Amino acid sequence: HIPKISYLTFLDAVFISMLLIIFFSGVESIVAHYLCEKGNEPSALALDYYCRILVPLFILGIWGGLYLLFFVSA
C-alpha cells in the first residue's frame, strides 16, 4: 500500500509537468493544423521547428528547477 501524504513529491511534480507538456503539444498540433488549413504552411512548419527545439529545452529546465527545488534547497 502507498501511504497517503498531503504534500507534493518530486515524482508528483515530474508527472504533472509531463502532463502539461502533453497538453501543450496537443494545442501546438491543433494550431499547426489550423495554420495548414488556412493555407499558411510556412508558419505551421516554423512552429513545428521551434517546438522541436524549445520543448526539450523546456523539459530540461523544468526538471532542473524541480531538482533544485526538491533536493538542493532542502
Side-chain angles (χ1 to χ4, degrees), residues 19-66:
L19 286 172
L20 289 173
I21 292 293
I22 291 168
F23 171 76
F24 286 119
S25 353
V27 170
E28 185 271 334
S29 179
I30 292 168
V31 170
H33 178 74
Y34 176 78
L35 289 172
C36 283
E37 289 293 317
K38 293 297 180 183
N40 199 354
E41 288 182 28
S43 293
L45 291 174
L47 178 65
D48 281 338
Y49 175 77
Y50 288 119
C51 284
R52 279 187 216 151
I53 295 170
L54 293 176
V55 169
L57 292 175
F58 181 73
I59 291 171
L60 288 175
I62 289 294
W63 285 0
L66 289 174

